[in-house]
């Protein structure tokens, strides 16, 4: 019997890849995102299964409860709730407008919390269900110029762990946290930017389809936390065991690998409103030579300054 899967943030990146992955399994889908036109595109991509689209802004009061109600009205139940909705902003903390910082946290952290709250209310009545959240390796480490996003993902890590503890007495209700590293999605190009340089995913970069497979796998094999990214473990180890070295290197690495040389004027990106023209499964990978040799040179320069 096919499952009923709610996907919040289904219009782009990991969420869109996840919608396709569940559709391939024959599951019935409830797709939510801000952009109505893009939701229609994703619905067409999943045409072989029964799909309901519900335009949803996770920062609006009662929007997620209305989404759950629409899913119940259409399919009678919810089996899986996936939350992938996220926005991003680049800028030094003291130069990032307060309204932008607050909206990123409101979307990425409080929006996720709202999804968990609404999903658990329905799952406790049903006696079973799976919530899957998308965190980030930046929920375990930090990086400069991304303060709002990092704050949100650290908060999400704490929320997930706390709820998992509270669910120990309800073994049929599971909460899983999938933590990707760099992923080739449009979120970097869609980000607000008050830094003057476009952001990009530093290497090594995973595909959104790979993260989607990890999300789908959590339904069959629920786990507390799943890491997707070859360097995630190394980054976490360096951050924890060698904090001084990590802090010396992370700035140069971020400037070399996580930012392009292309200038950009200050703008809010998709933080407050969707940009359907920029929504897709994948983003635009940066030049591979710069990805490899830029970080190498940055590390060498940082170490020379440290040792000199």
């Amino acid at each position: 019997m096919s499952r009923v899967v709610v996907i919040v943030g289904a219009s782009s990146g990991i969420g869109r890849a996840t919608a396709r992955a569940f559709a391939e399994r024959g599951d019935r889908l409830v797709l939510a995102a801000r952009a109505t036109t893009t939701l229609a595109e994703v619905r067409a991509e999943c045409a072989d299964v029964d799909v309901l689209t519900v335009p949803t802004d996770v920062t609006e009061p009662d929007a997620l409860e209305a989404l759950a109600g629409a899913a119940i009205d259409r399919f009678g139940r919810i089996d899986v709730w996936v939350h992938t909705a996220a926005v991003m902003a680049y800028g030094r903390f003291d130069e990032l407008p307060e309204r932008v910082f607050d909206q990123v946290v409101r979307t990425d952290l409080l929006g996720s919390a709202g999804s968990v709250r609404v999903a658990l209310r329905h799952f406790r009545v049903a006696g079973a269900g799976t919530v899957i959240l998308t965190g980030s390796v930046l929920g375990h480490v930090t990086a400069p110029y991304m303060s709002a996003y990092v704050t949100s993902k650290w908060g999400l890590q704490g929320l997930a762990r706390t709820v998992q503890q509270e669910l120990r007495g309800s073994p049929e209700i599971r909460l899983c946290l999938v933590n990707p590293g760099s992923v080739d999605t449009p979120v970097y190009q869609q980000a607000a930017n008050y830094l003057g340089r476009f952001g990009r995913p530093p290497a090594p970069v995973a595909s959104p389809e790979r993260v989607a497979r990890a999300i789908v796998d959590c339904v069959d094999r629920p786990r507390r936390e799943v890491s997707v990214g070859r360097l995630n473990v190394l980054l976490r180890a360096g951050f924890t065991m060698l904090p001084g070295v990590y802090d010396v290197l992370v700035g140069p690495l971020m400037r070399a690998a996580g930012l392009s040389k292309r200038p950009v004027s200050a703008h809010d990106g998709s933080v407050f409103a969707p940009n359907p023209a920029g929504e897709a499964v994948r983003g635009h990978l940066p030049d591979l030579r710069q990805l490899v040799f830029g970080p190498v040179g940055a590390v060498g320069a940082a170490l020379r300054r440290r040792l000199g």
Side-chain angles (χ1 to χ4, degrees):
M1 186 175 183
S2 65
R3 298 180 176 92
V4 177
V5 182
V6 174
I7 303 174
V8 184
S11 62
S12 193
I14 293 170
R16 192 163 181 167
T18 299
R20 293 176 177 179
F22 276 112
E24 290 174 1
R25 291 164 50 107
D27 292 319
R28 291 170 287 176
L29 304 179
V30 181
L31 306 180
R34 294 178 295 177
T36 304
T37 54
T38 318
L39 279 177
E41 294 174 5
V42 183
R43 179 175 184 168
E45 295 167 1
C46 303
D48 292 336
V49 298
D50 197 352
V51 179
L52 171 66
T53 58
V54 183
T56 303
D57 184 337
V58 301
T59 68
E60 292 294 327
D62 302 321
L64 290 166
E65 192 63 68
L67 170 62
I72 297 295
D73 288 344
R74 175 67 171 269
F75 296 115
R77 70 178 198 275
I78 301 169
D79 300 306
V80 180
W81 188 294
V82 181
H83 189 99
T84 68
V87 293
M88 189 182 288
Y90 289 96
R92 292 179 177 85
F93 172 70
D94 57 318
E95 296 177 351
L96 189 67
E98 181 179 347
R99 61 185 178 80
V100 174
F101 183 97
D102 290 355
Q103 185 71 0
V104 172
V105 174
R106 190 175 294 116
T107 302
D108 295 4
L109 176 55
L110 299 185
S112 297
S115 270
V116 174
R117 186 180 297 114
V118 170
L120 289 184
R121 286 174 183 163
H122 289 273
F123 291 163
R124 289 197 184 277
V125 172
T130 302
V131 184
I132 304 172
L133 302 176
T134 49
S136 170
V137 68
L138 290 177
H140 289 286
V141 306
T142 59
Y145 318 125
M146 302 180 70
S147 56
Y149 188 80
V150 170
T151 297
S152 300
K153 295 305 181 181
W154 275 70
L156 186 59
Q157 191 75 31
L159 172 67
R161 185 70 176 270
T162 300
V163 174
Q164 287 167 345
Q165 292 166 351
E166 294 174 353
L167 289 174
R168 287 182 62 83
S170 305
E172 296 304 313
I173 302 175
R174 290 77 57 96
L175 186 146
C176 307
L177 181 63
V178 176
N179 284 331
S182 293
V183 184
D184 178 22
T185 77
V187 70
Y188 305 91
Q189 291 79 36
Q190 298 271 63
N193 199 305
Y194 287 83
L195 194 60
R197 293 169 60 184
F198 273 104
R200 62 186 181 188
V205 183
S207 70
E209 290 84 0
R210 181 182 173 192
V211 183
R213 289 193 296 269
I215 290 171
V216 172
D217 188 56
C218 281
V219 178
D220 297 323
R221 297 190 306 123
R223 283 152 290 166
R224 295 164 61 89
E225 183 175 339
V226 179
S227 179
V228 182
R230 286 176 288 172
L231 288 186
N232 288 9
V233 173
L234 180 62
L235 288 171
R236 291 175 61 175
F239 182 84
T240 303
M241 300 171 62
L242 298 168
V245 175
Y246 181 94
D247 287 351
V248 167
L249 297 180
V250 68
L253 281 171
M254 180 65 180
R255 289 188 289 272
L259 299 171
S260 74
K261 295 186 180 299
R262 187 157 59 105
V264 58
S265 300
H267 64 90
D268 290 344
S270 63
V271 169
F272 294 97
N275 173 27
E279 295 184 329
V281 172
R282 297 198 179 203
H284 303 285
L285 281 173
D287 180 73
L288 293 179
R289 291 185 61 190
Q290 176 62 22
L291 275 177
V292 175
F293 295 111
V296 172
V299 169
L303 289 175
R304 286 194 297 272
R305 288 195 298 270
R306 180 74 169 181
L307 296 174

